[in-house]
Amino acid sequence: MAATATESTAPQSWASTLWRRQLDDYPSTGPRYMYLAITVLATITLYYESYVGGSVSTILLPALGMTFTFYLTALAFGNLLGAFGALFAGLADRVGRTNLVVFGLLFTGIFTAFVIPQATSKWPFIIETFVVGIVEGICLVATPALIRDFSPQNSRGSAMGFWTTGPVVGSLVVAIVGSNTIPTVIPSLHFWTHEYKICGIVGLIVFVIAFLGLRELSPRLRDQLMVTMRDRVLVEAKAKGIDIQSALAHPWRQMLKADVVISSVAVGVMLLIYYTLVGFGVIYLSVIFSETTKNANGLFDWAWGANVIAVILVGYVSDKLKVRKPFMVVGALLSGAAIVVFLLQIGHHPGYYALALMMAAIEFFLGVAYTPWLASFSETLEARNPALIATGLAIYGWVVRVIVFATFLLAPVIISSVNPLVSYGGQVATYATQYKGELAFAATHPAIVATAEKIPPAVLATAAKDKVQLANAVKFAPELKVIQANPALFTKLAGYPAGKIPAALQAQAVKAAGGGAAGAAILGTIAANQAAITGVIAVAPQLAKVAPYATQLTTIAPYSAQLTALSKVPPAALAYLKAHGTAEATASKHADSQWRTWYWICVGCLLFFVACVPLLKGRWRTRDARRDEQEHEALVEAELAKLNA
């Protein structure tokens, strides 16, 4: 027996509607706009929580010991789990939408503010974000279903435009909060938790708003097609006899159709550029254009701001012109053209505002394509079965998240340079800047450095400490040789003051020094430089250890200042540069071409999206759409006339 609606009984108290949130009558304009506004606010918050990690990715990864490859793989599996959360949200056709959203906000707010910031290593962080991702996957199917329920087709573009601001404004909030709360010089790697705590508190505030104010249509109202607000009376009348069980029978069989599935795939790949910028746009700007984390977030203020303007504006215009498809095609093609301009900057040094304008153009035209697509997709689902909107949106949510899953697995393969640049590039750059002169000397004088490295540190220390004596040992080598050959004789000589040495002893000394004038000259040199020669003799044992390295020491002597500076570079810094410097340099060499390849793939995805536009419901020309609307209004008038007869 078909289930039928009952007449509305006495009005419920406001408190009781906190638990039973279904409306038995279609709301008037004021309450309807309020429900739409709360739904959009909830969507913005959920995307803010989903994307907040991107604003601090450059410090989050090293803080938790994650490589870029690990991070992307985790994002990929997070999206895969979110995909199955989206499928579960198909139950919203049977159990309703509102409580999924309200209590999803509570759960994600608590996790984002209090649980995730406690993570001190990668695995707890990843597992906790997986849990949040599943809940968000459920909620983010229920919210567009609510938008559809409260918006007839002739204003669907505007309504979906405002809903589309959810992911975009979520991204914009991430960028604005990041650019205003992340300092230019990061105080510590643990600072990433600061952004998560702010985000979670915002989520809990929005939960309170949704808990108090959000409602939904009863199944008998939402399971019908409304083209204009004039259909309201007819919808409410028909609701009294709707067979809910029949309408909801075999939901997947009814909605797994080519126009639904292929269109979902098309928009999923179209959004590759969006997920690229959300997931690792900050990393890209830091690696390719050397922007700071703060400035990179500031650039996204422009991109997401332009997208917000586009999705709202194009939703309104497409409603007025009553066509969607031309906007999809033009938006996708112009966004692709903007990406081409953007990728051609790789390897160059565009200014901050040039980058901002290019990113704004990409996102503006992407919004021009996406909002009409979403409105047209919801109309395509309604053409299949208006009672199974959430099921159709669940298919869309699942497909998109599976595409993101595949994308994040593919990205490290194509952009392999990112892993060493993100994992080691920052520290390598820090050391390279801090010890620029020393490293430059080592790079330009490898033979000198290699020679110095072969000399034991103790020998180098002695040579530095006793460099005067070492020089005197060379200068007075003949004199020292005579003294070392006749130690007893020179001990006797030292016992007499200058000019008082007996003639016989003096003659003996001249003979020992080589005799004749030469011997006398040596003795004269010894007498004139007695202090210097005594200084050499005093450190003779130490100088004996230096002697085997005399040639090497002579070779490096002109570079003593540079070698001394190089010796003061911490061994840990040199070891780090030795371990990762080559990988970082190789990655830097290939980064430009790899990113170009990735962005060309994004352009190809936009062209595929354009090719799939004809699958969707909707007209290409305004006059055809107006004729359809007039025919529908005539049918509504006829139906109402029958009901009133």
Side-chain angles (χ1 to χ4, degrees), residues 497-535:
K500 302 293 184 179
I501 300 173
L505 186 59
Q506 181 71 22
Q508 184 182 353
V510 170
K511 181 180 179 181
I522 287 176
L523 289 179
T525 301
I526 292 173
N529 297 278
Q530 188 171 359
I533 291 172
T534 300

Side-chain angles (χ1 to χ4, degrees), residues 393-434:
L393 289 170
I395 293 170
Y396 153 69
W398 185 84
V399 168
V400 168
R401 284 168 176 79
V402 168
I403 289 171
V404 175
F405 164 73
T407 297
F408 285 165
L409 288 183
L410 185 63
V413 177
I414 295 176
I415 320 172
S416 59
S417 61
V418 173
N419 192 45
L421 289 175
V422 172
S423 300
Y424 319 124
Q427 192 61 60
V428 167
T430 298
Y431 286 148
T433 301
Q434 187 174 357

Side-chain angles (χ1 to χ4, degrees), residues 402-484:
V402 168
I403 289 171
V404 175
F405 164 73
T407 297
F408 285 165
L409 288 183
L410 185 63
V413 177
I414 295 176
I415 320 172
S416 59
S417 61
V418 173
N419 192 45
L421 289 175
V422 172
S423 300
Y424 319 124
Q427 192 61 60
V428 167
T430 298
Y431 286 148
T433 301
Q434 187 174 357
Y435 305 111
K436 181 178 179 180
E438 294 88 338
L439 296 173
F441 172 78
T444 55
H445 296 80
I448 297 298
V449 173
T451 299
E453 288 177 344
K454 293 177 183 177
I455 302 173
V459 171
L460 288 171
T462 299
K465 180 172 69 71
D466 299 329
K467 62 181 179 180
V468 173
Q469 292 89 337
L470 191 62
N472 287 337
V474 174
K475 182 178 180 180
F476 302 117
E479 290 78 8
L480 287 166
K481 184 177 180 181
V482 171
I483 293 172
Q484 290 167 354

